[in-house]
Amino acid sequence: MNIIDNDLLSIQESRILAENARDAQKALATFPQEKLDEIVERMAEEIDKHTSELARMSCEETDYGKWQDKCIKNRFACEYLRTRLRGMRCVGIINEDKQNRTMDVGVPMGVIVALCPATSPVSTTIYKALIAIKSGNAIIFSPHPRAKCVIAKTLDIMIRAAEGYGLPAGALAYLHTVTPSGTTELMNHKATSLIMNTGVPKMLQAAYQAGKPVIYGGNGNGPAFIERTANIKQAVCDIIASKTFDNGIASAAEQSIVVDSCIATEVKAELLNNGGYFMSEDEAKRLGSLFFRFDGSADSEMFGKTAQQLAKKAGFLVPDSVKILISEQKYVSEDNPYSKEKLCPVLAYYIEDDWMHACEKCIELLLSERHGHTLVIHSNDEEVIRQFALKKPVGRVLVNTPAVFGSMGATTNLFPAMTLGSGSAGEGMTSDNVSPMNLIYVRKVGYGVRKTEEIVKGVLAEEDNSSRLTTCKEENDSENIQMLHSILKKAIEAIQ
């Protein structure tokens, strides 16, 4: 009987891929920016032809979300990201200050290991491949087991296009036999320079143990605060559009609404008019019990489902017109499922007396999972907006925009990204919308503009001046002490 050990196969494949990527990256590091740009253009152009097909395949394989929305994300990565990458200099001389005689040289990190989520497998894969090659890095993907076929197909298309335009073989690759052992081997391999983990928390600890820099885009659990000066109609419209996009599967989507009490009635009415359904206490309890398993991990079978599917799982029915399920809450706690991230069209709803109490509630929500990367505030009061921006333990604050589209750079001027860092507010080495500039290091170049003799003379002159000042000060101090003694002596004689 033949027994195939997939762990051993995966580990062996990881070693081969890492070594090939290291050799390929050495060649890639000699490419000028113009050649890298040409390869990136061809990759994006070719994969763009397959966005709809890959979106459908993604939904069929993972059973997450809506293929129409996934198609939008795929095209965003192929078209809008590609446009933003044009003209960006990442390698070679990227900045020169002729007046101060300094230069910045962009240097690729080397070999990147990339982990992509099953929730947005195609768009995240396209995005990572483009920004890695743009910055002269080799990149090896460890596909998510739930989306390995669609990720493999996406990469096959891009690899064929890239190598056809001169990308060294092995610079863009992926693990075919996917196991945790193989992925861990990839991350630990001496050829690996950087780990880029998007939405795979189970591999985060192993990534840190590898001792390499880690870029992590993880849990969002972001609240949206509707302040009393907000355009309520627009705020509600933005929140629902964002939270229902791809059936709420994006981690950047709003997880809670925090409302200023003086406008709470108006906000609730607007939510009801736009497809919101406020669950009864019993309905909310039944649904909440399904989000997490006994060990505290999220039940992935709840991800990316419609409001109707979720209600049915919980044993109640909602009309077809319902877009989003809402649970009214008061407190944030570890055992409250509505305080946590829910990758589906479900929102918690909190009412607070004023913006200061709302500020505290948002902080509680962000700290409840300690990974918060995005928060939204709907307000026209600039001072309140600034206070939120200053005080929140979060990677990015969005103002008057849907969280999903604002965070990824569609409705804001943030860099178009599928990996949103939370930095020290959460996990990982950066809070940026991750761009090619996060995948390089900058070599500083400085020309000599002063001679050593000038520095020495300057220091001696300063010391001499300081010495004279000290002597002068000491003489003044001595005179002052003598004067004080004289005054005290006369005062004592007068008393006697």
Side-chain angles (χ1 to χ4, degrees):
M1 182 174 66
N2 291 326
I3 299 174
I4 297 173
D5 190 324
N6 283 325
D7 277 335
L8 290 177
L9 286 175
S10 187
I11 290 169
Q12 182 60 42
E13 187 186 6
S14 293
R15 291 172 180 168
I16 293 168
L17 289 176
E19 288 161 12
N20 290 345
R22 177 184 55 202
D23 294 339
Q25 200 279 322
K26 287 178 183 176
L28 194 63
T30 67
F31 285 21
Q33 187 68 70
E34 292 71 21
K35 180 61 178 176
L36 295 172
D37 290 352
E38 182 186 21
I39 294 169
V40 167
E41 285 283 342
R42 298 290 78 79
M43 288 166 64
E45 188 178 283
E46 187 59 34
I47 199 67
D48 198 17
K49 301 172 186 175
H50 302 270
T51 50
S52 178
E53 168 199 355
L54 291 168
R56 292 175 186 272
M57 185 177 173
S58 175
C59 280
E60 288 167 6
E61 185 177 8
T62 65
D63 195 29
Y64 289 160
K66 296 185 282 192
W67 75 266
Q68 297 92 335
D69 291 347
K70 291 189 185 299
C71 189
I72 292 171
K73 285 191 282 188
N74 297 349
R75 294 192 65 184
F76 178 81
C78 294
E79 297 171 16
Y80 187 64
L81 172 62
R82 173 176 30 163
T83 302
R84 283 290 295 271
L85 289 175
R86 287 176 187 152
M88 183 185 286
R89 294 204 67 82
C90 308
V91 299
I93 298 172
I94 60 176
N95 189 36
E96 186 173 9
D97 185 337
K98 292 187 177 179
Q99 184 177 348
N100 290 309
R101 305 207 71 193
T102 62
M103 288 193 305
D104 292 343
V105 178
V107 183
M109 293 290 283
V111 177
I112 298 169
V113 170
L115 281 68
C116 294
T119 50
S120 299
V122 178
S123 55
T124 309
T125 299
I126 295 169
Y127 150 78
K128 287 188 179 182
L130 295 182
I131 67 171
I133 303 305
K134 168 76 181 181
S135 51
N137 292 284
I139 184 166
I140 307 168
F141 287 82
S142 175
H144 194 288
R146 188 163 180 153
K148 62 182 180 180
C149 293
V150 74
I151 290 175
K153 183 161 187 175
T154 302
L155 287 167
D156 284 338
I157 294 167
M158 288 196 290
I159 290 167
R160 190 165 56 248
E163 291 184 358
Y165 276 84
L167 184 75
L172 177 58
Y174 65 93
L175 201 57
H176 291 72
T177 306
V178 184
T179 68
S181 301
T183 304
T184 301
E185 182 68 23
L186 263 183
M187 294 190 293
N188 280 285
H189 198 282
K190 62 183 179 181
T192 298
S193 303
L194 175 72
I195 299 164
M196 202 172 172
N197 180 338
T198 306
V200 190
K202 288 183 179 178
M203 295 304 296
L204 186 58
Q205 192 58 40
Y208 280 124
Q209 288 173 350
K212 313 289 173 66
V214 177
I215 293 176
Y216 182 62
N219 303 54
N221 202 32
F225 173 44
I226 306 179
E227 192 259 345
R228 64 188 64 190
T229 64
N231 180 332
I232 295 169
K233 193 176 184 70
Q234 187 62 53
V236 169
C237 181
D238 285 349
I239 290 168
I240 290 181
S242 175
K243 188 58 176 170
T244 57
F245 183 76
D246 207 8
N247 288 342
I249 208 157
S251 66
E254 297 86 346
Q255 303 297 323
S256 308
I257 302 177
V258 182
V259 184
D260 220 334
S261 60
C262 63
I263 58 169
T265 303
E266 195 177 343
V267 170
K268 186 171 184 177
E270 200 62 42
L271 284 165
L272 290 168
N273 289 337
N274 284 273
Y277 177 87
F278 282 80
M279 294 179 285
S280 68
E281 193 173 329
D282 179 61
E283 289 169 339
K285 187 176 180 180
R286 280 191 277 166
L287 181 64
S289 68
L290 302 177
F291 288 132
F292 299 94
R293 301 187 182 95
F294 289 113
D295 63 358
S297 63
D299 186 346
S300 59
E301 295 309 314
M302 300 293 284
F303 295 177
K305 301 296 187 289
T306 65
Q308 288 72 26
Q309 290 171 319
L310 293 168
K312 189 176 180 181
K313 282 176 178 282
F316 62 95
L317 298 174
V318 295
D320 291 341
S321 59
V322 169
K323 298 177 182 176
I324 201 158
L325 303 175
I326 304 168
S327 173
E328 296 182 78
Q329 296 289 319
K330 289 184 179 180
Y331 306 108
V332 176
S333 67
E334 283 188 14
D335 57 358
N336 181 354
Y338 292 97
S339 299
K340 301 177 182 179
E341 183 183 66
K342 304 159 291 296
L343 300 182
C344 52
V346 175
L347 286 166
Y349 184 80
Y350 297 89
I351 299 173
E352 295 295 331
D353 290 339
D354 50 45
W355 75 264
M356 289 172 285
H357 286 89
C359 183
E360 294 303 316
K361 183 65 71 180
C362 289
I363 290 172
E364 280 186 75
L365 288 163
L366 290 166
L367 292 178
S368 66
E369 293 193 288
R370 303 198 69 83
H371 295 145
H373 57 57
T374 302
L375 169 144
V376 183
I377 176 170
H378 294 272
S379 172
N380 287 303
D381 187 325
E382 281 300 322
E383 184 54 34
V384 173
I385 292 167
R386 287 176 183 276
Q387 288 302 318
F388 262 67
L390 288 168
K391 294 180 179 178
K392 297 300 170 292
V394 71
R396 65 197 45 71
V397 175
L398 305 174
V399 182
N400 298 329
T401 193
V404 168
F405 309 121
S407 63
M408 67 194 278
T411 59
T412 64
N413 285 326
L414 298 177
F415 185 82
M418 295 294 165
T419 298
L420 308 174
S422 53
S424 58
E427 303 279 1
M429 59 184 277
T430 182
S431 60
D432 289 345
N433 277 30
V434 178
S435 80
M437 304 308 289
N438 296 103
L439 309 184
I440 63 169
Y441 72 87
V442 178
R443 179 182 296 141
K444 296 289 184 179
V445 179
Y447 287 79
V449 294
R450 288 175 290 276
K451 299 296 182 185
T452 309
E453 292 80 1
E454 295 175 43
I455 305 297
V456 172
K457 284 179 183 177
V459 171
L460 290 174
E462 282 184 19
E463 286 181 354
D464 186 47
N465 186 44
S466 176
S467 177
R468 284 199 300 273
L469 288 172
T470 302
T471 303
C472 185
K473 184 176 182 298
E474 287 172 350
E475 289 173 355
N476 288 338
D477 287 347
S478 178
E479 287 177 9
N480 290 337
I481 290 168
Q482 288 175 9
M483 186 184 294
L484 182 60
H485 283 170
S486 176
I487 292 168
L488 288 170
K489 184 178 180 182
K490 288 179 182 178
I492 292 167
E493 287 173 354
I495 292 169
Q496 292 173 344

